[in-house]
Amino acid sequence: KGVGEITIEAYLKGTEDYLEGQHNSYTREIEKRNITAYAYGNQRAYGQPNSLGEFLYYGFSGEADSLNSSDDISAIPGLEGEIILHYAATATPEASAGSTHPIDSFTNTLSSPYFDFNVSLYETVLTITKAPLYVKATDLSRDYSEANPTSLPTEYSGFANGEGVDGSNDISGIGATGSPVVSIAASADVNAEAGTTHALTVDVSGMSSANYEFVADTSGVLTISKRPIEITTTSSSYSKLYGDADPAFDYTVTAGSFVGVDGLVGDLS
């Protein structure tokens, strides 16, 4: 196994009826197998650095046959080096989505004890795609039994080239059109209990931008909080005789309100 010069020896072993045959020796050279790396699907999102390149490999046989059409050949023993594609100077992070940029050249230092690697530029350009910009409904809360908020802000993440601040709701720097539409889950009705959370969904179908693809982030929630109630005793002082039970403390609700038949149970102590 392996590559290099090998010697093959052959002879006819003697038997009771036949003499031993002539001994023969042959020398053969086992060469490395040629593998072709096809550059394909070379694209990246707006604002991102250029990749080294994407490749599919062909030419394997025998035990390595499963590597044909694979983009991962890291399992090859003794594999070293890499293939790097070099793009035109126009392929900067600021290159607009939809633009294409030629592959000027490549550097091939890929080597293995068993294979030689050749590069074929199946695709000869780098294509810039839109960058994903995530739109999330800002987390909100309201008190139990109150009306749901009507102001439903959003926040954005995924800006490129310094065109915005992640977590803000300012997209004035990306030339966007349209606005997101936020909806509150129907479960957040007037009877939703305190401590529960309810989804805030975002519809971005009406939004567009030359360099960004708007993507709805579904992690926003509306949280139902307990209603604040303030209770004040009606007297500033109480007294009792030694050995007697504590007096009942009178109180009144001085801030907040109960809903429906809700009220207090028990005594102050």
Side-chain angles (χ1 to χ4, degrees):
K1 292 184 179 181
V3 297
E5 187 177 276
I6 63 170
T7 300
I8 302 173
E9 297 183 349
Y11 65 93
L12 178 63
K13 186 177 181 181
T15 67
E16 293 181 356
D17 299 317
Y18 295 91
L19 295 174
E20 182 177 313
Q22 182 179 358
H23 182 275
N24 293 286
S25 179
Y26 302 93
T27 300
R28 293 289 184 269
E29 184 75 20
I30 298 180
E31 300 178 345
K32 289 184 179 184
R33 176 174 288 275
N34 286 320
I35 303 300
T36 301
Y38 290 90
Y40 80 103
N42 291 294
Q43 60 182 28
R44 66 153 172 85
Y46 169 74
Q48 297 302 307
N50 296 327
S51 68
L52 300 182
E54 300 289 338
F55 303 92
L56 290 178
Y57 297 87
Y58 292 90
F60 295 102
S61 66
E63 294 180 357
D65 184 68
S66 62
L67 294 177
N68 282 311
S69 76
S70 171
D71 61 358
D72 182 7
I73 57 171
S74 59
I76 294 176
L79 184 68
E80 295 181 347
E82 60 188 354
I83 303 173
I84 302 175
L85 298 182
H86 304 292
Y87 306 98
T90 54
T92 63
E94 293 76 24
S96 59
S99 63
T100 57
H101 307 269
I103 298 173
D104 283 345
S105 62
F106 58 85
T107 300
N108 180 11
T109 60
L110 205 58
S111 66
S112 161
Y114 308 103
F115 304 102
D116 282 328
F117 295 91
N118 306 305
V119 178
S120 175
L121 299 181
Y122 182 75
E123 294 181 358
T124 58
V125 297
L126 171 71
T127 300
I128 310 301
T129 61
K130 290 186 176 184
L133 189 65
Y134 297 93
V135 188
K136 174 184 177 295
T138 301
D139 291 337
L140 300 171
S141 66
R142 69 158 171 84
D143 292 339
Y144 166 70
S145 197
E146 294 293 334
N148 287 330
T150 56
S151 177
L152 304 174
T154 53
E155 52 197 62
Y156 299 82
S157 60
F159 291 102
N161 298 325
E163 294 173 339
V165 178
D166 285 353
S168 75
N169 64 351
D170 182 6
I171 55 173
S172 60
I174 66 171
T177 60
S179 300
V181 178
V182 179
S183 301
I184 302 175
S187 57
D189 58 19
V190 68
N191 297 314
E193 295 184 356
T196 59
T197 58
H198 307 268
L200 298 174
T201 58
V202 184
D203 182 358
V204 297
S205 60
M207 304 184 72
S208 65
S209 170
N211 292 317
Y212 293 91
E213 188 73 36
F214 292 97
V215 180
D217 179 335
T218 59
S219 62
V221 295
L222 170 69
T223 300
I224 310 302
S225 305
K226 290 185 176 182
R227 293 177 67 86
I229 301 292
E230 182 178 302
I231 300 171
T232 305
T233 56
T234 56
S235 176
S236 60
S237 64
Y238 292 86
S239 65
K240 71 170 185 175
L241 294 174
Y242 174 76
D244 288 347
D246 290 339
F249 295 99
D250 297 324
Y251 59 86
T252 184
V253 176
T254 54
S257 62
F258 292 102
V259 177
V261 296
D262 293 343
L264 292 175
V265 176
D267 299 316
L268 297 179
S269 61

